[in-house]
């Protein structure tokens, strides 16, 4: 399934704010604008604001209040990193972020345990047969993750 297009970091932040309003969550946004400020531009010279192609990179870090603890780092390269209760989902397409958050806060996300290899995995299904799955790292599950365990 194709998700609504979010061509810029700011459009993704607006979409995240809309999801937060749906679920009555608080939102905290930190913006990094300029080649010398964004995290993936480590080779940019000091006080260099524009990329070599003349574009102005914009990165945002969004924290959502409530349970589970969710943070989203949106990169200028059309992807995001989403952390849900300590479980990190890398390289989520920017267009999929709102659907991902709706799945987490709408109760569709679940944890599944396996005997071999041993461990737990957090699965976040999105509309259209798209599922993100990451291993839960740590000795114990958080209360939110424990409440989502399926046998």
């Amino acid at each position: 399934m194709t998700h609504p297009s979010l061509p810029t970091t700011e459009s993704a932040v607006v979409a995240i704010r809309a999801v937060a309003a749906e679920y009555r969550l608080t939102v905290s946004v930190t913006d990094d604008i300029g080649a010398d400020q964004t995290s993936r531009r480590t080779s940019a010279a000091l006080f260099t604001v524009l990329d070599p192609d003349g574009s102005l990179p914009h990165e945002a870090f969004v924290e959502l209040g409530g349970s589970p603890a969710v943070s989203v780092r949106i990169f200028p390269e059309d992807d995001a990193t989403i952390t849900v209760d300590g479980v990190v989902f890398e390289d989520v397409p920017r267009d999929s972020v709102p659907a991902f958050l709706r799945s987490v806060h709408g109760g569709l996300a679940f944890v599944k345990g396996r005997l071999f290899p041993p461990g737990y995995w957090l699965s976040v299904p999105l509309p259209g047969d798209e599922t993100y799955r990451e291993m839960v790292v740590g000795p114990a599950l958080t209360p939110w993750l424990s409440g989502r365990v399926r046998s």
Side-chain angles (χ1 to χ4, degrees):
M1 176 177 179
T2 59
H3 303 287
S5 178
L6 302 172
T8 64
T9 299
E10 189 57 34
S11 64
V13 171
V14 168
I16 292 171
R17 286 184 191 275
V19 172
E22 261 180 65
Y23 293 98
R24 297 185 178 112
L25 304 170
T26 59
V27 180
S28 171
V29 179
T30 305
D31 293 293
D32 293 323
I33 301 174
D36 62 337
Q37 298 294 314
T38 56
S39 63
R40 291 186 178 169
R41 304 289 201 297
T42 55
S43 63
L46 277 170
F47 309 112
T48 303
V49 177
L50 301 176
D51 276 346
D53 65 356
S55 64
L56 183 66
H58 178 193
E59 183 177 297
F61 180 73
V62 182
E63 290 181 294
L64 299 174
S67 181
V70 177
S71 65
V72 182
R73 180 169 293 282
I74 305 166
F75 298 104
E77 293 85 12
D78 298 336
D79 68 325
T81 297
I82 303 174
T83 305
V84 180
D85 251 10
V87 181
V88 180
F89 293 85
E90 300 276 352
D91 300 323
V92 177
R94 181 168 47 206
D95 295 345
S96 299
V97 170
F100 189 102
L101 296 176
R102 280 189 181 93
S103 182
V104 168
H105 289 289
L108 296 177
F110 62 92
V111 174
K112 191 112 175 157
R114 290 182 58 180
L115 203 52
F116 190 79
Y120 288 99
W121 279 262
L122 174 60
S123 296
V124 182
L126 274 57
D129 272 352
E130 185 178 359
T131 301
Y132 290 92
R133 194 171 159 227
E134 287 294 332
M135 186 172 190
V136 178
V137 180
L141 297 176
T142 65
W144 185 85
L145 290 170
S146 294
R148 304 298 177 277
V149 173
R150 289 186 185 173
S151 53

